[in-house]
């Protein structure tokens, strides 16, 4: 989980143009709530880059509790919604599938 925090901090501070972030199918240790918060931090830092066009967070798993999202593990939705509400964002592709009940909609792969 410390690795996610460090990567998130690096994403926020970089001057590089971030256009794609693929963090699909990560396994998280610790509690589901802690894993959700760490992933939300990473996504929040990535979302400061309005150049972000592709974000893939499919298949997140909390190793001790199974599928990360759906039962209190939905903290990542806030930064995603904040990004999508921004008129000047470049996000074209958001992959959420295999993340439990909230991502099991019509557009999930």
């Amino acid at each position: 989980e410390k690795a996610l925090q460090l990567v998130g901090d690096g994403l926020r501070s970089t001057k590089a143009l971030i256009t794609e972030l693929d963090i699909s199918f990560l396994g998280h240790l610790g509690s589901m709530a802690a894993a959700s918060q760490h992933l939300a931090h990473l996504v929040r830092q990535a979302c400061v880059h309005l150049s972000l066009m592709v974000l893939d967070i499919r298949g997140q798993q909390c190793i001790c509790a199974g599928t990360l999202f759906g039962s209190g593990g939905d903290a990542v939705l806030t930064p995603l919604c904040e990004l999508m509400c921004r008129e000047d964002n470049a996000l074209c592709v958001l992959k959420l599938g295999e993340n439990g009940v909230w991502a099991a909609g019509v557009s999930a792969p």
Side-chain angles (χ1 to χ4, degrees):
E1 301 310 320
K2 182 68 173 170
L4 285 181
Q5 183 178 358
L6 292 172
V7 170
D9 293 346
L11 281 171
R12 181 165 187 86
S13 63
T14 187
K15 302 281 189 237
L17 202 60
I18 305 295
T19 58
E20 186 169 341
L21 181 62
D22 183 346
I23 52 172
S24 58
F25 300 100
L26 293 178
H28 303 272
L29 299 173
S31 72
M32 189 174 299
S36 176
Q37 290 302 317
H38 290 299
L39 185 63
H41 171 75
L42 179 89
V43 169
R44 185 172 291 108
Q45 302 315 317
C47 288
V48 301
H49 296 277
L50 297 177
S51 58
L52 186 65
M53 295 171 43
V54 177
L55 178 60
D56 187 346
I57 57 171
R58 292 173 295 150
Q60 303 297 312
Q61 294 286 315
C62 188
I63 293 181
C64 60
T67 302
L68 182 59
F69 301 111
S71 35
D74 52 5
V76 74
L77 292 178
T78 301
L80 288 176
C81 290
E82 289 170 355
L83 174 66
M84 291 185 289
C85 287
R86 298 232 9 210
E87 195 172 303
D88 53 351
N89 84 76
L91 192 65
C92 300
V93 178
L94 176 59
K95 297 180 181 180
L96 299 172
E98 300 176 51
N99 274 324
V101 295
W102 64 259
V106 175
S107 62

